[in-house]
Amino acid sequence: MATAGKVIKCKAAVAWEAGKPLSIEEVEVSPPQAMEVRVKILFTSLCRTDVFFWEAKGQTPVFPRIFGHEAGGIVESVGEGVTDVAPGDHVLPVFTGECKECRHCKSAESNMCDLLRINTDRGVMIGDGKSRFSIDGKPIYHFVGTSTFSEYTVMHVGCVAKINPEAPLDKVCVLSCGISTGLGASINVAKPPKGSSVAIFGLGAVGLAAAEGARIAGASRIIGVDLNANRFEEARKFGCTEFVNPKDHSKPVQEVLAEMTNGGVDRSVECTGNVNAMIQAFECVHDGWGVAVLVGVPHKDAEFKTHPMNFLNERTLKGTFFGNFKPRTDLPNVVELYMKKELEVEKFITHSVPFSEINKAFDLMAKGEGIRCIIRMEH
Ligand code: NAD
Ligand code: ZN
Protein backbone atom coordinates (compact mmCIF):
# COMPACT_ATOMS: atom_id res chain seq x y z
CA MET A 1 0.00 0.00 0.00
CA ALA A 2 1.17 3.48 -0.85
CA THR A 3 0.41 4.68 2.68
CA ALA A 4 2.37 1.95 4.54
CA GLY A 5 5.11 3.33 6.77
CA LYS A 6 3.77 6.88 6.38
CA VAL A 7 1.69 9.14 8.58
CA ILE A 8 -1.95 9.17 7.40
CA LYS A 9 -3.99 12.34 7.69
CA CYS A 10 -7.66 11.55 8.09
CA LYS A 11 -10.83 12.52 9.91
CA ALA A 12 -11.52 11.51 13.49
CA ALA A 13 -14.24 12.44 15.98
CA VAL A 14 -12.33 13.98 18.87
CA ALA A 15 -13.75 14.34 22.37
CA TRP A 16 -11.96 17.43 23.70
CA GLU A 17 -13.82 17.56 26.98
CA ALA A 18 -16.12 15.36 29.05
CA GLY A 19 -19.71 15.40 27.86
CA LYS A 20 -19.15 17.94 25.04
CA PRO A 21 -20.23 16.95 21.50
CA LEU A 22 -17.46 15.26 19.51
CA SER A 23 -15.83 17.36 16.85
CA ILE A 24 -14.64 16.03 13.51
CA GLU A 25 -10.99 16.99 13.12
CA GLU A 26 -8.12 16.17 10.82
CA VAL A 27 -5.73 13.97 12.81
CA GLU A 28 -2.36 12.46 11.99
CA VAL A 29 -2.19 8.71 12.50
CA SER A 30 1.35 7.31 12.87
CA PRO A 31 2.33 4.04 11.22
CA PRO A 32 1.93 0.89 13.31
CA GLN A 33 4.94 -0.06 15.46
CA ALA A 34 6.05 -3.58 16.40
CA MET A 35 3.09 -5.94 16.93
CA GLU A 36 0.61 -3.26 15.86
CA VAL A 37 -1.73 -2.91 12.91
CA ARG A 38 -3.26 0.14 11.28
CA VAL A 39 -6.86 -0.40 10.26
CA LYS A 40 -9.14 1.53 7.92
CA ILE A 41 -12.44 1.66 9.80
CA LEU A 42 -15.51 1.31 7.57
CA PHE A 43 -18.32 1.05 10.12
CA THR A 44 -18.46 1.68 13.83
CA SER A 45 -21.26 1.89 16.37
CA LEU A 46 -21.85 3.37 19.77
CA CYS A 47 -21.91 1.28 22.95
CA ARG A 48 -22.91 2.53 26.40
CA THR A 49 -19.30 2.06 27.57
CA ASP A 50 -18.15 4.84 25.19
CA VAL A 51 -20.81 7.12 26.67
CA PHE A 52 -19.81 6.35 30.29
CA PHE A 53 -16.19 7.33 29.63
CA TRP A 54 -17.10 10.31 27.47
CA GLU A 55 -19.42 11.65 30.22
CA ALA A 56 -16.65 10.74 32.72
CA LYS A 57 -19.07 11.23 35.62
CA GLY A 58 -18.22 7.99 37.35
CA GLN A 59 -15.01 7.26 35.39
CA THR A 60 -11.52 8.68 35.15
CA PRO A 61 -11.43 11.57 32.65
CA VAL A 62 -8.80 11.13 29.92
CA PHE A 63 -9.00 13.89 27.29
CA PRO A 64 -8.64 14.75 24.45
CA ARG A 65 -9.58 11.29 23.38
CA ILE A 66 -10.91 9.30 20.43
CA PHE A 67 -13.62 6.92 21.60
CA GLY A 68 -15.19 3.94 19.83
CA HIS A 69 -14.64 0.21 20.17
CA GLU A 70 -17.47 -1.52 18.29
CA ALA A 71 -16.44 -1.56 14.63
CA GLY A 72 -15.34 -3.32 11.48
CA GLY A 73 -12.53 -2.47 9.10
CA ILE A 74 -9.74 -3.54 6.77
CA VAL A 75 -6.06 -3.80 7.65
CA GLU A 76 -4.11 -1.00 5.88
CA SER A 77 -0.60 -1.90 7.07
CA VAL A 78 1.13 -3.92 9.78
CA GLY A 79 4.13 -3.29 12.02
CA GLU A 80 7.18 -5.43 12.63
CA GLY A 81 6.56 -8.94 13.90
CA VAL A 82 2.91 -9.12 12.82
CA THR A 83 2.25 -12.43 11.09
CA ASP A 84 -1.40 -13.16 11.95
CA VAL A 85 -2.96 -10.49 9.76
CA ALA A 86 -1.94 -8.79 6.52
CA PRO A 87 -3.06 -5.70 4.60
CA GLY A 88 -6.50 -6.30 3.10
CA ASP A 89 -7.72 -8.63 5.84
CA HIS A 90 -11.16 -7.90 7.25
CA VAL A 91 -11.04 -7.44 11.02
CA LEU A 92 -13.14 -6.58 14.04
CA PRO A 93 -11.40 -4.58 16.78
CA VAL A 94 -11.90 -5.79 20.36
CA PHE A 95 -11.54 -3.73 23.56
CA THR A 96 -9.94 -6.64 25.38
CA GLY A 97 -7.14 -8.53 23.65
CA GLU A 98 -5.67 -11.99 23.38
CA CYS A 99 -1.87 -12.28 23.28
CA LYS A 100 -2.14 -16.09 22.95
CA GLU A 101 0.90 -16.57 25.20
CA CYS A 102 0.03 -15.69 28.80
CA ARG A 103 -1.50 -18.00 31.40
CA HIS A 104 -4.96 -16.58 30.79
CA CYS A 105 -4.75 -17.02 27.04
CA LYS A 106 -3.53 -20.58 27.57
CA SER A 107 -6.33 -21.36 30.04
CA ALA A 108 -9.58 -22.64 28.58
CA GLU A 109 -11.46 -20.83 31.36
CA SER A 110 -10.24 -17.24 31.01
CA ASN A 111 -10.18 -14.42 28.48
CA MET A 112 -8.47 -11.98 30.87
CA CYS A 113 -5.21 -11.70 28.91
CA ASP A 114 -2.36 -10.45 31.14
CA LEU A 115 -0.99 -8.19 28.43
CA LEU A 116 -4.11 -6.88 26.68
CA ARG A 117 -7.08 -7.11 29.04
CA ILE A 118 -9.33 -4.06 29.04
CA ASN A 119 -7.77 -0.97 30.59
CA THR A 120 -10.10 2.00 30.40
CA ASP A 121 -7.69 4.52 31.94
CA ARG A 122 -4.79 3.94 29.53
CA GLY A 123 -4.77 6.34 26.59
CA VAL A 124 -1.55 5.18 24.91
CA MET A 125 -0.15 2.12 23.16
CA ILE A 126 1.41 -0.49 25.42
CA GLY A 127 4.53 -0.89 23.23
CA ASP A 128 6.07 2.54 23.85
CA GLY A 129 3.58 4.38 26.08
CA LYS A 130 2.77 6.86 23.29
CA SER A 131 -0.33 7.76 21.31
CA ARG A 132 -0.47 7.17 17.55
CA PHE A 133 -2.91 10.08 17.08
CA SER A 134 -1.94 13.73 17.05
CA ILE A 135 -3.11 17.18 15.98
CA ASP A 136 -0.39 19.78 15.42
CA GLY A 137 2.07 17.52 17.21
CA LYS A 138 -0.09 17.22 20.35
CA PRO A 139 -1.24 13.73 21.35
CA ILE A 140 -4.89 12.70 21.24
CA TYR A 141 -5.45 9.71 23.51
CA HIS A 142 -6.69 6.25 22.64
CA PHE A 143 -9.66 4.46 24.24
CA VAL A 144 -9.54 0.76 25.24
CA GLY A 145 -6.87 0.13 22.60
CA THR A 146 -9.32 0.57 19.71
CA SER A 147 -10.41 4.24 19.10
CA THR A 148 -12.65 3.42 16.19
CA PHE A 149 -14.23 6.88 15.79
CA SER A 150 -11.48 7.60 13.27
CA GLU A 151 -11.10 6.77 9.59
CA TYR A 152 -7.82 5.04 10.51
CA THR A 153 -6.73 3.69 13.87
CA VAL A 154 -3.79 1.75 15.27
CA MET A 155 -4.28 -1.30 17.48
CA HIS A 156 -2.18 -4.03 19.03
CA VAL A 157 -2.48 -7.11 16.81
CA GLY A 158 -3.88 -8.97 19.84
CA CYS A 159 -6.92 -6.66 19.79
CA VAL A 160 -8.05 -7.46 16.24
CA ALA A 161 -9.95 -10.55 15.16
CA LYS A 162 -9.55 -11.61 11.53
CA ILE A 163 -12.91 -12.61 10.13
CA ASN A 164 -14.47 -14.09 7.01
CA PRO A 165 -14.06 -11.44 4.26
CA GLU A 166 -17.54 -12.35 2.94
CA ALA A 167 -19.17 -11.13 6.16
CA PRO A 168 -20.84 -7.71 5.63
CA LEU A 169 -18.94 -5.31 7.90
CA ASP A 170 -21.93 -2.95 8.19
CA LYS A 171 -23.73 -5.76 10.04
CA VAL A 172 -21.08 -7.82 11.84
CA CYS A 173 -19.40 -4.73 13.31
CA VAL A 174 -21.91 -4.96 16.18
CA LEU A 175 -20.45 -8.36 17.09
CA SER A 176 -17.18 -6.72 18.10
CA CYS A 177 -18.60 -5.72 21.49
CA GLY A 178 -22.21 -5.56 22.65
CA ILE A 179 -23.85 -8.49 20.94
CA SER A 180 -21.05 -10.99 21.58
CA THR A 181 -20.80 -9.78 25.17
CA GLY A 182 -24.48 -10.38 25.92
CA LEU A 183 -24.66 -13.61 23.98
CA GLY A 184 -21.55 -15.00 25.68
CA ALA A 185 -22.69 -13.84 29.14
CA SER A 186 -25.67 -16.17 28.76
CA ILE A 187 -24.24 -19.05 26.75
CA ASN A 188 -20.72 -19.19 28.20
CA VAL A 189 -21.19 -17.90 31.72
CA ALA A 190 -24.78 -18.10 33.04
CA LYS A 191 -25.39 -21.35 31.10
CA PRO A 192 -29.13 -21.58 31.78
CA PRO A 193 -30.37 -25.18 31.74
CA LYS A 194 -33.17 -26.12 29.33
CA GLY A 195 -36.55 -25.06 30.65
CA SER A 196 -35.06 -22.65 33.21
CA SER A 197 -36.04 -19.08 34.10
CA VAL A 198 -33.67 -16.17 33.42
CA ALA A 199 -33.97 -12.51 34.43
CA ILE A 200 -32.22 -9.97 32.22
CA PHE A 201 -31.57 -6.57 33.83
CA GLY A 202 -31.24 -3.81 31.21
CA LEU A 203 -32.65 -4.29 27.71
CA GLY A 204 -30.11 -2.36 25.63
CA ALA A 205 -28.12 -4.19 22.96
CA VAL A 206 -26.14 -6.14 25.53
CA GLY A 207 -29.19 -7.26 27.52
CA LEU A 208 -31.18 -8.14 24.41
CA ALA A 209 -28.25 -10.25 23.19
CA ALA A 210 -28.19 -11.92 26.62
CA ALA A 211 -31.92 -12.67 26.21
CA GLU A 212 -31.20 -14.12 22.76
CA GLY A 213 -28.44 -16.25 24.31
CA ALA A 214 -30.79 -17.49 27.02
CA ARG A 215 -33.32 -18.47 24.38
CA ILE A 216 -30.68 -20.29 22.31
CA ALA A 217 -29.60 -22.13 25.49
CA GLY A 218 -33.21 -23.31 25.94
CA ALA A 219 -34.50 -21.16 28.81
CA SER A 220 -38.29 -21.11 28.81
CA ARG A 221 -39.03 -18.00 30.87
CA ILE A 222 -36.99 -14.91 30.06
CA ILE A 223 -37.98 -11.96 32.23
CA GLY A 224 -36.77 -8.55 31.04
CA VAL A 225 -36.26 -5.92 33.73
CA ASP A 226 -35.87 -2.30 32.67
CA LEU A 227 -36.84 1.16 33.92
CA ASN A 228 -37.68 2.18 30.35
CA ALA A 229 -41.00 0.57 29.38
CA ASN A 230 -40.40 1.48 25.72
CA ARG A 231 -37.93 -1.39 25.62
CA PHE A 232 -40.50 -4.08 26.33
CA GLU A 233 -42.22 -4.40 22.96
CA GLU A 234 -38.91 -4.66 21.12
CA ALA A 235 -37.56 -7.17 23.61
CA ARG A 236 -40.12 -9.80 22.59
CA LYS A 237 -38.21 -10.23 19.33
CA PHE A 238 -35.21 -11.27 21.42
CA GLY A 239 -36.94 -13.97 23.40
CA CYS A 240 -38.22 -12.03 26.41
CA THR A 241 -41.46 -13.64 27.58
CA GLU A 242 -42.30 -11.33 30.50
CA PHE A 243 -41.39 -7.89 31.76
CA VAL A 244 -40.93 -6.12 35.04
CA ASN A 245 -40.53 -2.38 35.41
CA PRO A 246 -39.17 -1.74 38.93
CA LYS A 247 -40.97 1.64 38.85
CA ASP A 248 -44.35 -0.15 38.79
CA HIS A 249 -43.76 -1.82 42.17
CA SER A 250 -43.48 -0.55 45.70
CA LYS A 251 -41.48 -3.56 46.88
CA PRO A 252 -37.91 -4.40 45.81
CA VAL A 253 -37.71 -5.97 42.37
CA GLN A 254 -35.94 -9.04 43.81
CA GLU A 255 -39.13 -9.77 45.79
CA VAL A 256 -41.31 -9.25 42.73
CA LEU A 257 -39.18 -11.73 40.78
CA ALA A 258 -39.15 -14.25 43.64
CA GLU A 259 -42.96 -14.17 43.74
CA MET A 260 -43.21 -14.63 39.99
CA THR A 261 -40.89 -17.63 40.00
CA ASN A 262 -41.66 -19.50 43.19
CA GLY A 263 -38.57 -18.40 45.08
CA GLY A 264 -36.25 -16.89 42.50
CA VAL A 265 -35.00 -17.15 38.94
CA ASP A 266 -32.54 -19.87 37.99
CA ARG A 267 -30.19 -17.40 36.31
CA SER A 268 -29.86 -13.64 35.97
CA VAL A 269 -27.71 -11.46 33.74
CA GLU A 270 -27.17 -7.79 34.65
CA CYS A 271 -26.56 -5.46 31.69
CA THR A 272 -27.13 -1.96 33.11
CA GLY A 273 -23.94 -0.72 34.81
CA ASN A 274 -26.05 0.38 37.79
CA VAL A 275 -24.82 -1.10 41.07
CA ASN A 276 -28.32 -1.35 42.55
CA ALA A 277 -29.40 -3.42 39.57
CA MET A 278 -26.31 -5.59 40.13
CA ILE A 279 -27.33 -6.26 43.73
CA GLN A 280 -30.93 -6.94 42.65
CA ALA A 281 -29.71 -9.30 39.94
CA PHE A 282 -27.78 -11.30 42.54
CA GLU A 283 -30.46 -11.33 45.21
CA CYS A 284 -33.22 -12.41 42.80
CA VAL A 285 -31.67 -15.78 41.93
CA HIS A 286 -33.01 -18.91 43.60
CA ASP A 287 -31.13 -20.25 46.61
CA GLY A 288 -29.47 -23.64 46.16
CA TRP A 289 -28.57 -23.22 42.50
CA GLY A 290 -29.11 -19.68 41.23
CA VAL A 291 -26.31 -18.00 39.28
CA ALA A 292 -26.09 -14.26 38.61
CA VAL A 293 -23.74 -12.77 36.01
CA LEU A 294 -22.64 -9.12 36.04
CA VAL A 295 -21.85 -7.50 32.70
CA GLY A 296 -22.50 -3.75 33.18
CA VAL A 297 -19.51 -1.47 33.75
CA PRO A 298 -19.95 0.14 37.20
CA HIS A 299 -19.18 3.65 38.50
CA LYS A 300 -15.53 3.71 39.60
CA ASP A 301 -16.47 4.17 43.28
CA ALA A 302 -19.35 1.66 43.29
CA GLU A 303 -19.51 -0.91 46.08
CA PHE A 304 -21.52 -4.09 45.91
CA LYS A 305 -23.27 -4.82 49.23
CA THR A 306 -25.31 -7.87 50.10
CA HIS A 307 -25.73 -10.05 53.16
CA PRO A 308 -23.19 -12.93 53.20
CA MET A 309 -26.07 -15.31 53.95
CA ASN A 310 -27.16 -14.84 50.33
CA PHE A 311 -23.98 -16.67 49.33
CA LEU A 312 -24.18 -19.26 52.10
CA ASN A 313 -27.61 -20.13 50.79
CA GLU A 314 -25.83 -21.38 47.68
CA ARG A 315 -26.19 -18.59 45.23
CA THR A 316 -23.31 -17.87 42.86
CA LEU A 317 -22.17 -14.47 41.61
CA LYS A 318 -20.02 -14.18 38.49
CA GLY A 319 -18.84 -11.39 36.20
CA THR A 320 -17.57 -11.31 32.66
CA PHE A 321 -15.91 -9.20 30.04
CA PHE A 322 -16.80 -9.87 26.41
CA GLY A 323 -18.99 -12.82 27.43
CA ASN A 324 -15.86 -14.88 28.16
CA PHE A 325 -15.13 -15.15 24.44
CA LYS A 326 -11.45 -15.11 23.52
CA PRO A 327 -11.43 -12.33 20.96
CA ARG A 328 -9.08 -13.68 18.30
CA THR A 329 -9.96 -17.34 18.75
CA ASP A 330 -13.72 -17.17 19.24
CA LEU A 331 -15.01 -14.02 17.52
CA PRO A 332 -14.46 -15.37 13.98
CA ASN A 333 -16.74 -18.28 14.96
CA VAL A 334 -19.43 -15.91 16.25
CA VAL A 335 -19.29 -14.21 12.83
CA GLU A 336 -19.76 -17.66 11.25
CA LEU A 337 -22.92 -18.17 13.34
CA TYR A 338 -24.26 -15.07 11.60
CA MET A 339 -23.11 -16.32 8.18
CA LYS A 340 -24.92 -19.63 8.80
CA LYS A 341 -28.04 -17.65 9.80
CA GLU A 342 -27.95 -19.14 13.31
CA LEU A 343 -27.58 -15.66 14.79
CA GLU A 344 -29.46 -12.61 13.56
CA VAL A 345 -27.75 -9.24 13.96
CA GLU A 346 -29.98 -7.05 11.75
CA LYS A 347 -32.61 -6.76 14.45
CA PHE A 348 -30.09 -5.07 16.77
CA ILE A 349 -29.43 -2.35 14.19
CA THR A 350 -32.16 0.28 14.38
CA HIS A 351 -30.38 3.42 13.13
CA SER A 352 -27.57 4.48 10.85
CA VAL A 353 -25.84 7.87 10.43
CA PRO A 354 -22.91 9.17 8.37
CA PHE A 355 -19.70 9.86 10.34
CA SER A 356 -20.27 13.61 10.11
CA GLU A 357 -23.44 13.13 12.21
CA ILE A 358 -21.88 10.91 14.90
CA ASN A 359 -23.31 13.08 17.69
CA LYS A 360 -26.80 11.93 16.65
CA ALA A 361 -25.84 8.42 17.80
CA PHE A 362 -25.06 9.88 21.24
CA ASP A 363 -28.43 11.69 21.29
CA LEU A 364 -30.30 8.49 20.45
CA MET A 365 -28.58 6.61 23.26
CA ALA A 366 -29.23 9.44 25.71
CA LYS A 367 -32.93 9.29 24.84
CA GLY A 368 -32.98 5.48 25.11
CA GLU A 369 -34.18 5.25 21.50
CA GLY A 370 -33.35 2.27 19.33
CA ILE A 371 -30.72 -0.37 19.99
CA ARG A 372 -27.58 0.09 17.93
CA CYS A 373 -26.80 2.99 15.59
CA ILE A 374 -24.28 2.25 12.85
CA ILE A 375 -21.91 5.10 12.03
CA ARG A 376 -20.78 4.96 8.40
CA MET A 377 -17.27 6.25 7.70
CA GLU A 378 -17.15 8.36 4.55
CA HIS A 379 -13.79 7.48 3.00
P1 NAD B 1 -27.86 0.62 26.99
O1 NAD B 1 -27.74 1.93 27.66
O2 NAD B 1 -28.25 0.55 25.57
O3 NAD B 1 -28.86 -0.31 27.82
C1 NAD B 1 -28.92 -0.29 29.22
C2 NAD B 1 -30.38 -0.47 29.64
O4 NAD B 1 -30.40 -0.61 31.09
C3 NAD B 1 -31.29 0.69 29.29
O5 NAD B 1 -32.41 0.22 28.58
C4 NAD B 1 -31.67 1.29 30.66
O6 NAD B 1 -33.01 1.79 30.68
C5 NAD B 1 -31.54 0.07 31.58
N1 NAD B 1 -31.29 0.38 33.00
C6 NAD B 1 -30.46 1.32 33.51
N2 NAD B 1 -30.48 1.29 34.86
C7 NAD B 1 -31.34 0.31 35.21
C8 NAD B 1 -31.80 -0.22 36.46
N3 NAD B 1 -31.35 0.27 37.61
N4 NAD B 1 -32.69 -1.24 36.44
C9 NAD B 1 -33.14 -1.75 35.26
N5 NAD B 1 -32.75 -1.29 34.04
C10 NAD B 1 -31.87 -0.27 34.02
O7 NAD B 1 -26.41 -0.08 27.23
P2 NAD B 1 -25.67 -1.31 26.47
O8 NAD B 1 -24.84 -0.75 25.36
O9 NAD B 1 -26.64 -2.40 26.23
O10 NAD B 1 -24.64 -1.73 27.62
C11 NAD B 1 -25.13 -2.27 28.85
C12 NAD B 1 -24.03 -2.31 29.90
O11 NAD B 1 -23.04 -3.27 29.54
C13 NAD B 1 -23.28 -1.00 30.09
O12 NAD B 1 -22.98 -0.86 31.47
C14 NAD B 1 -22.00 -1.20 29.31
O13 NAD B 1 -20.96 -0.38 29.79
C15 NAD B 1 -21.75 -2.66 29.63
N6 NAD B 1 -20.87 -3.42 28.74
C16 NAD B 1 -20.07 -4.36 29.32
C17 NAD B 1 -19.26 -5.17 28.56
C18 NAD B 1 -18.43 -6.26 29.18
O14 NAD B 1 -17.63 -6.88 28.48
N7 NAD B 1 -18.60 -6.56 30.48
C19 NAD B 1 -19.26 -5.00 27.15
C20 NAD B 1 -20.13 -4.05 26.58
C21 NAD B 1 -20.94 -3.26 27.39
ZN1 ZN C 1 -2.72 -13.14 26.94
Short mmCIF file of all heavy atoms in Angstrom, two decimals, residues 265-288:
data_model
loop_
_atom_site.label_atom_id
_atom_site.label_comp_id
_atom_site.label_asym_id
_atom_site.label_seq_id
_atom_site.Cartn_x
_atom_site.Cartn_y
_atom_site.Cartn_z
N VAL A 265 -35.33 -16.66 40.29
CA VAL A 265 -35.00 -17.15 38.94
C VAL A 265 -33.80 -18.08 39.01
O VAL A 265 -33.00 -18.01 39.94
CB VAL A 265 -34.71 -15.98 37.95
CG1 VAL A 265 -35.98 -15.20 37.64
CG2 VAL A 265 -33.63 -15.04 38.51
N ASP A 266 -33.67 -18.94 38.01
CA ASP A 266 -32.54 -19.87 37.99
C ASP A 266 -31.23 -19.15 37.62
O ASP A 266 -30.16 -19.51 38.09
CB ASP A 266 -32.80 -21.00 36.98
CG ASP A 266 -34.07 -21.76 37.31
OD1 ASP A 266 -34.22 -22.13 38.49
OD2 ASP A 266 -34.92 -21.95 36.41
N ARG A 267 -31.36 -18.15 36.75
CA ARG A 267 -30.19 -17.40 36.31
C ARG A 267 -30.59 -15.94 36.17
O ARG A 267 -31.75 -15.63 35.86
CB ARG A 267 -29.70 -17.87 34.92
CG ARG A 267 -29.25 -19.32 34.85
CD ARG A 267 -27.95 -19.54 35.61
NE ARG A 267 -27.45 -20.90 35.44
CZ ARG A 267 -27.72 -21.91 36.28
NH1 ARG A 267 -28.51 -21.72 37.33
NH2 ARG A 267 -27.19 -23.11 36.06
N SER A 268 -29.60 -15.03 36.33
CA SER A 268 -29.86 -13.64 35.97
C SER A 268 -28.60 -13.08 35.31
O SER A 268 -27.49 -13.53 35.59
CB SER A 268 -30.25 -12.80 37.20
OG SER A 268 -29.12 -12.58 38.01
N VAL A 269 -28.83 -12.12 34.42
CA VAL A 269 -27.71 -11.46 33.74
C VAL A 269 -27.97 -9.96 33.85
O VAL A 269 -29.00 -9.47 33.40
CB VAL A 269 -27.61 -11.88 32.26
CG1 VAL A 269 -26.35 -11.28 31.62
CG2 VAL A 269 -27.60 -13.40 32.10
N GLU A 270 -27.02 -9.24 34.45
CA GLU A 270 -27.17 -7.79 34.65
C GLU A 270 -26.43 -7.05 33.54
O GLU A 270 -25.23 -7.25 33.35
CB GLU A 270 -26.63 -7.41 36.03
CG GLU A 270 -26.64 -5.92 36.32
CD GLU A 270 -25.47 -5.17 35.70
OE1 GLU A 270 -24.38 -5.75 35.53
OE2 GLU A 270 -25.66 -4.00 35.35
N CYS A 271 -27.15 -6.19 32.82
CA CYS A 271 -26.56 -5.46 31.69
C CYS A 271 -26.93 -3.98 31.78
O CYS A 271 -27.41 -3.39 30.80
CB CYS A 271 -27.05 -6.03 30.37
SG CYS A 271 -26.85 -7.81 30.23
N THR A 272 -26.76 -3.37 32.95
CA THR A 272 -27.13 -1.96 33.11
C THR A 272 -25.95 -1.07 33.48
O THR A 272 -25.91 0.10 33.11
CB THR A 272 -28.17 -1.77 34.24
OG1 THR A 272 -27.55 -2.02 35.51
CG2 THR A 272 -29.36 -2.70 34.09
N GLY A 273 -25.02 -1.55 34.28
CA GLY A 273 -23.94 -0.72 34.81
C GLY A 273 -24.32 -0.03 36.11
O GLY A 273 -23.50 0.64 36.73
N ASN A 274 -25.57 -0.23 36.55
CA ASN A 274 -26.05 0.38 37.79
C ASN A 274 -25.85 -0.60 38.95
O ASN A 274 -26.33 -1.74 38.89
CB ASN A 274 -27.53 0.74 37.60
CG ASN A 274 -28.12 1.36 38.84
OD1 ASN A 274 -28.24 0.71 39.88
ND2 ASN A 274 -28.47 2.62 38.75
N VAL A 275 -25.17 -0.15 40.00
CA VAL A 275 -24.82 -1.10 41.07
C VAL A 275 -26.05 -1.63 41.80
O VAL A 275 -26.06 -2.78 42.26
CB VAL A 275 -23.76 -0.49 42.04
CG1 VAL A 275 -24.36 0.60 42.91
CG2 VAL A 275 -23.13 -1.59 42.90
N ASN A 276 -27.11 -0.83 41.90
CA ASN A 276 -28.32 -1.35 42.55
C ASN A 276 -28.93 -2.48 41.75
O ASN A 276 -29.38 -3.48 42.31
CB ASN A 276 -29.34 -0.23 42.75
CG ASN A 276 -28.81 0.82 43.69
OD1 ASN A 276 -28.14 0.49 44.68
ND2 ASN A 276 -29.04 2.08 43.38
N ALA A 277 -28.89 -2.33 40.43
CA ALA A 277 -29.40 -3.42 39.57
C ALA A 277 -28.51 -4.65 39.72
O ALA A 277 -29.00 -5.79 39.66
CB ALA A 277 -29.46 -2.95 38.11
N MET A 278 -27.22 -4.44 39.94
CA MET A 278 -26.31 -5.59 40.13
C MET A 278 -26.69 -6.37 41.40
O MET A 278 -26.73 -7.60 41.40
CB MET A 278 -24.86 -5.11 40.23
CG MET A 278 -24.36 -4.49 38.94
SD MET A 278 -22.66 -3.93 39.09
CE MET A 278 -22.50 -3.08 37.51
N ILE A 279 -26.96 -5.62 42.46
CA ILE A 279 -27.33 -6.26 43.73
C ILE A 279 -28.68 -6.98 43.57
O ILE A 279 -28.85 -8.13 44.00
CB ILE A 279 -27.37 -5.20 44.87
CG1 ILE A 279 -25.95 -4.65 45.09
CG2 ILE A 279 -27.96 -5.79 46.14
CD1 ILE A 279 -25.88 -3.38 45.93
N GLN A 280 -29.61 -6.31 42.89
CA GLN A 280 -30.93 -6.94 42.65
C GLN A 280 -30.77 -8.21 41.83
O GLN A 280 -31.40 -9.23 42.11
CB GLN A 280 -31.85 -5.96 41.90
CG GLN A 280 -32.25 -4.75 42.74
CD GLN A 280 -32.74 -3.58 41.89
OE1 GLN A 280 -32.70 -3.60 40.66
NE2 GLN A 280 -33.19 -2.54 42.57
N ALA A 281 -29.90 -8.14 40.83
CA ALA A 281 -29.71 -9.30 39.94
C ALA A 281 -29.15 -10.48 40.73
O ALA A 281 -29.47 -11.64 40.46
CB ALA A 281 -28.79 -8.95 38.78
N PHE A 282 -28.32 -10.20 41.71
CA PHE A 282 -27.78 -11.30 42.54
C PHE A 282 -28.86 -11.81 43.50
O PHE A 282 -29.08 -13.02 43.61
CB PHE A 282 -26.56 -10.81 43.32
CG PHE A 282 -26.05 -11.82 44.31
CD1 PHE A 282 -25.66 -13.09 43.89
CD2 PHE A 282 -25.98 -11.52 45.67
CE1 PHE A 282 -25.20 -14.05 44.79
CE2 PHE A 282 -25.52 -12.46 46.58
CZ PHE A 282 -25.14 -13.73 46.14
N GLU A 283 -29.53 -10.90 44.17
CA GLU A 283 -30.46 -11.33 45.21
C GLU A 283 -31.74 -11.97 44.65
O GLU A 283 -32.48 -12.61 45.40
CB GLU A 283 -30.80 -10.14 46.12
CG GLU A 283 -29.57 -9.68 46.91
CD GLU A 283 -29.82 -8.50 47.84
OE1 GLU A 283 -30.91 -7.90 47.76
OE2 GLU A 283 -28.91 -8.17 48.62
N CYS A 284 -31.98 -11.83 43.35
CA CYS A 284 -33.22 -12.41 42.80
C CYS A 284 -33.04 -13.86 42.33
O CYS A 284 -34.00 -14.47 41.88
CB CYS A 284 -33.77 -11.56 41.66
SG CYS A 284 -32.90 -11.76 40.10
N VAL A 285 -31.81 -14.40 42.40
CA VAL A 285 -31.67 -15.78 41.93
C VAL A 285 -32.06 -16.75 43.05
O VAL A 285 -31.94 -16.45 44.25
CB VAL A 285 -30.26 -16.12 41.37
CG1 VAL A 285 -29.95 -15.27 40.14
CG2 VAL A 285 -29.17 -16.04 42.41
N HIS A 286 -32.52 -17.90 42.66
CA HIS A 286 -33.01 -18.91 43.60
C HIS A 286 -31.88 -19.42 44.49
O HIS A 286 -30.76 -19.59 44.01
CB HIS A 286 -33.61 -20.08 42.81
CG HIS A 286 -34.66 -20.82 43.57
ND1 HIS A 286 -34.34 -21.65 44.63
CD2 HIS A 286 -36.00 -20.84 43.46
CE1 HIS A 286 -35.46 -22.16 45.13
NE2 HIS A 286 -36.49 -21.67 44.43
N ASP A 287 -32.17 -19.66 45.77
CA ASP A 287 -31.13 -20.25 46.61
C ASP A 287 -30.90 -21.70 46.15
O ASP A 287 -31.72 -22.26 45.42
CB ASP A 287 -31.48 -20.15 48.10
CG ASP A 287 -32.82 -20.78 48.45
OD1 ASP A 287 -33.46 -21.38 47.56
OD2 ASP A 287 -33.24 -20.67 49.62
N GLY A 288 -29.77 -22.25 46.52
CA GLY A 288 -29.47 -23.64 46.16
C GLY A 288 -28.76 -23.81 44.83
O GLY A 288 -27.86 -24.63 44.70
#
